[in-house]
Amino acid sequence: MKQWKKIIRDCPYLVVLLITWLFMTAGGIALMIYRDYNSYRWETFWTNPFFTVIMEEEKSTVRNSYNVKSIGENINKIAHAIKSETESAMAAVMENSMDDEPEPAEEIIIGQTHFTTYTPVEIDSIYYSDAGKVALTTDYPYTTVGEDYFDDAVFFGDSRTLGISDYSGLNADFYCENGMTVFKLLDEKGVKSQETDDKVNLNQVLQEKKYGKIYIMLGMNELGYGNTEFFLNQYDSVLQQLRQWQPDAVIFLQANLHVSRQKDNPATEFNNININDKNAAIATLANGTDVFYLDINPLFTDNEGYLNDDLTFDGVHLYANGYIVWKNFLMEHGVVRGEN
């Protein structure tokens, strides 16, 4: 007995393990008797009295490993399904997005104002020089329009514009008179309205009424008033002011009509070289988007650039039927935004 006490005192852990082994073995035997009494082979107890319970735990562990594997496979399947659904949903969203995309903005066409060049002659004048080039009508895909296109148009000019007002039959506003210049157009003294025959201040008119088109033809009465650069600066100033008051209007800068051979006088400032110098300067202000240069001269001049004698009664102004031709030219050069 003393020996057992000594063993217990010296080896307490061994005793705990021994007692644990006895309880587990007894528990295993009890479990086998309870669960497997009829099928258990008792001869195996002597060779393996304990490991039945341990083997049950091992089987459970193997079974759990199978379960983990199955769960992993299921997770992969679920992930694959989710990925497929996600890709399908994204494809549907992309397709719908493409269907809902707004139409691309319409391409803005920019017209080009071209010049033909020639060898200039030497001019001894403080008012002008030979430009050495002729401005052509701004190259642009113009639209042929009806007379109603001019219902929201306004014309500014001198006596030739007055002829358009009198003989074209266009239902537009005309502010023009004999002797009008680019220096007087916006003057507070006013310009004559061809509708009321009264002088009106364009500074007020152009801030009260909106126009869709503006036609300008000025420069004839400025031939001997300052040089071409001075003229161009004033013309540009007027153009910028019109643009400020009428930001949505299309502006047409009309070339000044040439004069006949009898009226062309190189000894003075009243000649076609000077007119061409002014026209070439005006054409540089066209931008091809909302400001266009129109040259009517090819319809009325000969091969040398002189106004045809049979089209004019004084070498400067057209007969009445010439303004019908002028109107038709303007109708063939309409700019309709949203169609081009």
Side-chain angles (χ1 to χ4, degrees):
M1 192 67 176
K2 291 180 180 181
Q3 186 177 2
W4 283 106
K5 289 180 179 181
K6 186 177 184 305
I7 293 173
I8 293 172
R9 185 175 62 251
D10 295 339
C11 303
Y13 296 109
L14 180 59
V15 173
V16 172
L17 290 174
L18 180 60
I19 293 173
T20 301
W21 176 78
L22 290 173
F23 274 107
M24 293 181 68
T25 301
I29 293 172
L31 180 61
M32 286 186 294
I33 293 173
Y34 175 76
R35 190 188 66 182
D36 300 322
Y37 178 77
N38 293 326
S39 61
Y40 186 74
R41 296 172 62 187
W42 288 96
E43 62 271 16
T44 61
F45 173 76
W46 308 109
T47 58
N48 196 4
F50 167 70
F51 293 105
T52 302
V53 176
I54 300 300
M55 289 302 296
E56 285 293 319
E57 292 294 325
E58 290 292 335
K59 291 178 180 179
S60 176
T61 302
V62 172
R63 186 164 54 249
N64 288 340
S65 68
Y66 290 150
N67 290 339
V68 171
K69 181 179 180 181
S70 299
I71 291 173
E73 292 176 350
N74 290 335
I75 290 175
N76 289 334
K77 291 179 180 179
I78 293 172
H80 180 71
I82 292 174
K83 180 180 178 182
S84 299
E85 291 295 331
T86 302
E87 290 177 348
S88 299
M90 289 180 67
V93 170
M94 290 296 294
E95 183 177 355
N96 292 334
S97 298
M98 292 179 65
D99 293 339
D100 296 338
E101 283 183 358
E103 295 183 0
E106 185 176 357
E107 181 183 0
I108 297 177
I109 301 174
I110 300 177
Q112 299 293 325
T113 303
H114 301 289
F115 297 81
T116 59
T117 59
Y118 61 88
T119 302
V121 299
E122 185 176 348
I123 301 295
D124 183 19
S125 174
I126 62 173
Y127 298 106
Y128 70 100
S129 61
D130 192 337
K133 60 183 179 180
V134 175
L136 307 179
T137 293
T138 301
D139 186 15
Y140 188 82
Y142 296 101
T143 301
T144 299
V145 298
E147 291 191 9
D148 58 347
Y149 175 80
F150 302 91
D151 289 348
D152 64 346
V154 60
F155 286 75
F156 302 127
D158 50 32
S159 56
R160 264 78 70 84
T161 301
L162 185 58
I164 299 175
S165 173
D166 290 341
Y167 303 111
S168 69
L170 293 178
N171 181 33
D173 288 347
F174 288 87
Y175 296 96
C176 51
E177 58 185 85
N178 293 326
M180 180 52 57
T181 71
V182 72
F183 298 97
K184 297 191 298 184
L185 184 66
L186 301 183
D187 190 88
E188 61 183 12
K189 294 180 181 180
V191 185
K192 182 177 288 188
S193 167
Q194 296 307 308
E195 181 180 5
T196 64
D197 205 33
D198 295 326
K199 289 269 191 177
V200 296
N201 187 342
L202 291 181
N203 291 270
Q204 180 178 354
V205 171
L206 294 174
Q207 294 183 72
E208 292 178 350
K209 183 175 181 179
K210 296 299 181 183
Y211 291 99
K213 304 96 185 177
I214 297 175
Y215 292 84
I216 309 171
M217 188 175 66
L218 291 167
M220 198 69 175
N221 297 305
E222 297 90 323
L223 294 179
Y225 186 79
N227 60 21
T228 300
E229 182 180 0
F230 181 62
F231 163 78
L232 180 61
N233 288 336
Q234 179 62 21
Y235 201 114
D236 184 41
S237 178
V238 169
L239 179 60
Q240 297 307 317
Q241 184 62 77
L242 293 177
R243 171 56 65 223
Q244 181 179 342
W245 288 335
Q246 303 286 326
D248 299 323
V250 179
I251 301 178
F252 298 92
L253 311 178
Q254 297 190 84
N256 290 283
L257 188 63
H258 287 185
V259 296
S260 67
R261 185 183 297 273
Q262 289 73 23
K263 283 292 183 178
D264 183 74
N265 187 355
T268 67
E269 288 69 46
F270 197 80
N271 57 71
N272 286 333
I273 293 179
N274 193 4
I275 294 174
N276 182 65
D277 195 34
K278 301 299 186 289
N279 285 344
I282 293 170
T284 63
L285 300 178
N287 59 24
T289 56
D290 56 9
V291 182
F292 300 84
Y293 176 77
L294 301 180
D295 183 18
I296 196 70
N297 280 291
L299 295 179
F300 302 112
T301 57
D302 59 24
N303 294 333
E304 297 181 82
Y306 295 107
L307 180 62
N308 281 312
D309 289 331
D310 56 350
L311 299 178
T312 177
F313 58 89
D314 62 357
V316 178
H317 302 87
L318 298 172
Y319 288 118
N321 58 359
Y323 292 106
I324 301 300
V325 176
W326 198 317
K327 178 187 72 172
N328 292 335
F329 173 84
L330 297 181
M331 292 175 63
E332 294 170 356
H333 291 80
V335 175
V336 182
R337 288 173 174 168
E339 289 190 7
N340 295 316

